[in-house]
Amino acid sequence: ETGVTQSPTHLIKTRGQQVTLRCSSQSGHNTVSWYQQALGQGPQFIFQYYREEENGRGNFPPRFSGLQFPNYSSELNVNALELDDSALYLCASSGERADTQYFGPGTRLTVL
Amino acid sequence: EDKVVQSPLSLVVHEGDTVTLNCSYEVTNFRSLLWYKQEKKAPTFLFMLTSSGIEKKSGRLSSILDKKELFSILNITATQTGDSAVYLCAVFSGGYNKLIFGAGTRLAVHP
């Protein structure tokens, strides 16, 4: 157990809808990173938040957006869902060492 | 373009065998290389390597990094069925504050 929690566990949406995924970081960690993992692939970096500010972004379109709150929990929002957005969404928290990232259990998103 | 390549993509062995998983990388602003084990959902942290030639060990697992040749290996000795999982290699790029993952090696250990 890493102390990183995510909700919901599973989610089914239809094309064009919007979704919000949530992540609570490990106690003492001020950085949250989000990753998308398609079936059979490694996780792909979406973006990172450090002390409520976006601190790096991968090659994802603007319809992927996020927030970090004062307690360092975070949200990932995806607008105008597409079939290819179906994946496992992982969040990871880190503290003083940004490279030591501890992952939550993920949210499995299915877009029909 | 930054990339991390793992091989083999899948491996089937019997309990007691020793396996070696490979990870090569081309990443700008290399800071560290990490190995994770992913059984169902959450990747769990195994090792972080930053210096060349220094072996990290944890029980039957060990790993080493070669920064000159840009690769790392993960060894698992005396494999058990509980070692069955996907093993992910990731490189942390300090310039972009992100982990760049390989596609993973799916290991199946049969009794």
Side-chain angles (χ1 to χ4, degrees):
Chain A
E1 292 291 327
T2 61
V4 180
T5 61
Q6 291 187 244
S7 63
T9 308
H10 297 91
L11 205 50
I12 299 175
K13 292 285 189 178
T14 55
R15 265 188 313 177
Q17 287 188 310
Q18 177 265 343
V19 70
T20 297
L21 311 182
R22 294 178 175 83
C23 171
S24 291
S25 59
Q26 189 177 108
S27 177
H29 285 181
N30 54 19
T31 303
V32 172
S33 303
W34 286 92
Y35 295 83
Q36 180 196 66
Q37 187 176 22
L39 204 58
Q41 297 181 23
Q44 299 291 313
F45 176 73
I46 303 175
F47 44 57
Q48 181 184 88
Y49 278 85
Y50 170 69
R51 294 188 177 183
E52 303 178 59
E53 297 283 333
E54 188 176 289
N55 189 42
R57 190 177 181 94
N59 294 326
F60 280 81
R63 59 190 185 84
F64 285 78
S65 63
L67 281 174
Q68 188 179 32
F69 300 100
N71 66 354
Y72 302 130
S73 66
S74 178
E75 285 182 356
L76 164 66
N77 298 292
V78 187
N79 293 322
L81 283 167
E82 301 177 359
L83 296 179
D84 284 350
D85 295 333
S86 295
L88 179 66
Y89 288 85
L90 295 162
C91 83
S93 77
S94 50
E96 288 302 314
R97 281 204 67 129
D99 51 356
T100 309
Q101 299 187 9
Y102 296 91
F103 284 83
T107 294
R108 172 79 60 192
L109 173 65
T110 302
V111 182
L112 301 176
Chain B
E1 185 182 338
D2 293 336
K3 62 180 178 180
V4 176
V5 178
Q6 293 187 244
S7 64
L9 291 181
S10 66
L11 197 51
V12 180
V13 301
H14 288 96
E15 272 191 317
D17 288 349
T18 293
V19 298
T20 297
L21 310 183
N22 304 294
C23 175
S24 64
Y25 62 91
E26 291 178 31
V27 175
T28 54
N29 292 303
F30 173 94
R31 280 257 303 264
S32 55
L33 185 145
L34 295 89
W35 286 95
Y36 288 88
K37 177 182 182 182
Q38 187 175 29
E39 292 181 82
K40 289 184 180 175
K41 282 191 173 182
T44 55
F45 174 80
L46 294 175
F47 298 111
M48 182 173 69
L49 303 149
T50 55
S51 301
S52 242
I54 298 176
E55 187 181 44
K56 292 274 184 97
K57 291 196 76 168
S58 177
R60 297 176 294 102
L61 278 66
S62 64
S63 183
I64 197 160
L65 173 66
D66 186 327
K67 288 171 75 174
K68 183 180 176 185
E69 300 298 329
L70 307 183
F71 78 90
S72 174
I73 60 172
L74 174 68
N75 281 316
I76 308 174
T77 59
T79 52
Q80 302 171 357
T81 54
D83 295 327
S84 297
V86 174
Y87 290 83
L88 294 165
C89 171
V91 173
F92 187 80
S93 171
Y96 302 99
N97 291 318
K98 66 179 181 180
L99 286 173
I100 302 162
F101 281 86
T105 293
R106 181 172 294 278
L107 173 65
V109 181
H110 291 172

